[in-house]
Amino acid sequence: MAPKKRSKIQEDETAAAKPVPVSSRVTRRSPRLAANSKADLTVEEPVVKLPKKKKAKRAPKENEKAEEVENEGEDLDAASEKLGVEAKNRAVVIEHCKQCQSFKKRAMEVQNGLEKGVPGITVLLNPDKSRRGCFEIRSEDGEKFISLLDMKRPFTQMKELDMEEVISDIIEKIKG
């Protein structure tokens, strides 16, 4: 429906009150363009993270130095023996398909369980391109803990797994 015509009196009043802006064509896209031009005017400054400062250590006295160095080495050896973990870090690779979120949920659950169960372990999620329908947990050496390949929907083999039991089995194999 066309807008109503203005009378000459109304036009004279509005012209006297406001200066007439130079406008281009009005299209359906005009409001979006106006909003974008306003957004361009407000520029957010990027957040820059500064590196954390290192704390300065107190210099021990000469007689304390030799005792502390000997005690530190003993503490690390005792701690690793108590945990039953080798001194070197082990790495576990979890390869999961990106087709469905259920793969990712189970992979994250295994990752969290292994990191809590074995201190000092490195868990890698999909370091290489993942295979379709694949859920595989293996050590970096190549020893496979679980290997489910070429699964079709609804991924019943993977969904039937008790993840708590799987995590505990992997922890036993790593420690043993």
Side-chain angles (χ1 to χ4, degrees):
M1 188 166 134
K4 293 182 180 180
K5 292 185 178 181
R6 294 185 182 187
S7 66
K8 290 185 179 182
I9 298 170
Q10 288 178 340
E11 287 180 13
D12 292 336
E13 289 174 3
T14 57
K18 299 178 187 177
V20 178
V22 178
S23 62
S24 59
R25 284 176 36 185
V26 177
T27 62
R28 285 179 270 161
R29 190 173 173 198
S30 297
R32 273 188 271 157
L33 292 174
N36 287 340
S37 66
K38 289 178 185 176
D40 291 341
L41 296 177
T42 59
V43 177
E44 295 181 16
E45 296 181 21
V47 178
V48 178
K49 293 185 178 181
L50 299 175
K52 294 182 180 179
K53 295 181 180 178
K54 294 181 180 179
K55 294 182 181 178
K57 294 184 179 180
R58 177 185 67 85
K61 297 177 184 176
E62 290 179 19
N63 58 359
E64 292 178 353
K65 287 182 182 178
E67 292 175 8
E68 287 181 14
V69 171
E70 291 175 6
N71 291 338
E72 287 177 11
E74 292 172 4
D75 292 340
L76 292 175
D77 293 336
S80 63
E81 288 175 10
K82 285 179 184 176
L83 296 172
V85 180
E86 297 174 354
K88 56 185 172 181
N89 292 340
R90 294 225 22 202
V92 175
V93 177
I94 302 174
E95 182 181 350
H96 64 88
C97 178
K98 294 183 179 180
Q99 182 179 2
C100 181
Q101 288 296 317
S102 60
F103 288 97
K104 184 177 180 179
K105 289 178 188 175
R106 283 168 177 74
M108 294 296 289
E109 186 178 344
V110 171
Q111 180 185 21
N112 293 336
L114 289 177
E115 287 175 349
K116 287 179 185 174
V118 182
I121 193 168
T122 305
V123 181
L124 305 170
L125 292 178
N126 282 345
D128 301 324
K129 186 176 178 185
S130 62
R131 296 173 277 180
R132 185 175 179 186
C134 171
F135 186 77
E136 187 172 75
I137 304 171
R138 63 182 181 270
S139 67
E140 204 169 43
D141 305 336
E143 178 188 357
K144 293 182 181 178
F145 301 117
I146 289 182
S147 182
L148 301 173
L149 303 174
D150 296 326
M151 285 188 288
K152 304 288 182 195
R153 285 191 180 268
F155 315 116
T156 53
Q157 290 176 329
M158 181 184 62
K159 290 182 180 179
E160 289 174 353
L161 286 176
D162 181 19
M163 297 313 288
E164 306 248 339
E165 186 178 318
V166 169
I167 294 168
S168 62
D169 291 343
I170 293 171
I171 291 172
E172 286 176 16
K173 287 180 182 178
I174 290 173
K175 286 185 178 180

